[in-house]
Amino acid sequence: MKKFFIFFLYLAAFSCFSLYLNAQTLELYTTSGNLLQYGDTITVSGTPQSSELIGHVHVKNISSNTIQVSCTKSYLYIVPGSSNTFCWANNCYPPNTFTSPMKTIAPQEIVTDFSGDYYPTGNAGISYIRYTFNVYHGDSAWIVIKYDATGSGINSYNFAKLSTPYPNPANSVVNVPYYLSSSQKGSIEIYDMIGKLKTSIALNPKQNMITIPVNAYNNGIYFLQLKVNGNSISTEKIIVKH
């Protein structure tokens, strides 16, 4: 009888958890369209001298109802002397505003106007800020943006960089995180093992991720090269395996 009661409690708890998951009305995406899990961390990198570091998230209403959604920021840790603003509901808010007004989101609508703006103002360090999207009389979804302002800033190229591509090996697409300042013109060039240029892709400094299709590439090793203002900055290796 005791074992049955414990099993019943476990089943009831699991059912409640399943209902909670099914009740979620929001999905969060990167600017490249990659689905984020609640609580995921996005990294935006720069230097203490960067004018601002900007993190973007797209918010989708996956329910069949029109909803009202506000955004709340929480400082998990912020470097002393730095500051942060954020934009939501067609407005941007000063550092001392932590909760925005409501924004109306139609069923299946994707809202792209959110940004979390961070200002190092010369202070080196890493700040963690959580942004929570709250459905009025409903659930919520959240992510953490890691603002890494630890770059050296010796010249304009030192804080332009590629991060580790994934998946690697890649089959159909490869995701490539990168960072550019707003004043930089950058591109990713892909070379095969014999140094033949396969493609060149212009980068948007307002984004921090690009998805590159590789399904037409032969199996083998390729090199991704970041170029900024015509200068080669960094290289990453990928393996294509179908």
Side-chain angles (χ1 to χ4, degrees), residues 13-127:
F14 179 79
S15 298
C16 290
F17 181 69
S18 298
L19 288 173
Y20 170 76
L21 290 180
N22 292 333
Q24 296 297 335
T25 56
L26 297 176
E27 285 182 345
L28 306 180
Y29 291 86
T30 66
T31 55
S32 300
N34 298 309
L35 178 64
L36 295 164
Q37 301 299 315
Y38 294 175
D40 274 358
T41 298
I42 298 172
T43 300
V44 183
S45 301
T47 72
Q49 291 74 34
S50 298
S51 58
E52 61 181 339
L53 309 182
I54 305 176
H56 295 275
V57 176
H58 294 176
V59 181
K60 181 178 182 180
N61 174 11
I62 61 174
S63 75
S64 57
N65 301 312
T66 297
I67 57 176
Q68 300 286 322
V69 180
S70 64
C71 179
T72 299
K73 72 174 181 181
S74 303
Y75 292 155
L76 304 182
Y77 175 77
I78 188 166
V79 174
S82 63
S83 64
N84 162 257
T85 64
F86 71 99
C87 301
W88 177 251
N90 303 315
N91 281 296
C92 294
Y93 307 98
N96 59 352
T97 297
F98 287 81
T99 299
S100 75
M102 295 285 181
K103 181 179 183 70
T104 301
I105 308 179
Q108 302 304 311
E109 179 183 358
I110 300 176
V111 177
T112 61
D113 70 351
F114 170 81
S115 68
D117 304 340
Y118 178 77
Y119 308 94
T121 60
N123 299 284
I126 300 176
S127 294

Side-chain angles (χ1 to χ4, degrees), residues 193-223:
M193 280 289 290
I194 62 174
K196 182 180 179 181
L197 177 64
K198 302 291 292 183
T199 188
S200 178
I201 306 170
L203 299 176
N204 183 348
K206 293 184 179 180
Q207 299 179 351
N208 57 16
M209 176 82 71
I210 187 171
T211 299
I212 302 174
V214 295
N215 51 310
Y217 288 16
N218 294 327
N219 288 344
I221 296 174
Y222 296 84
F223 296 94

Side-chain angles (χ1 to χ4, degrees), residues 125-144:
I126 300 176
S127 294
Y128 295 85
I129 301 176
R130 181 174 61 216
Y131 298 93
T132 303
F133 301 92
N134 306 289
V135 180
Y136 183 65
H137 286 171
D139 51 16
S140 61
W142 65 96
I143 51 93
V144 174

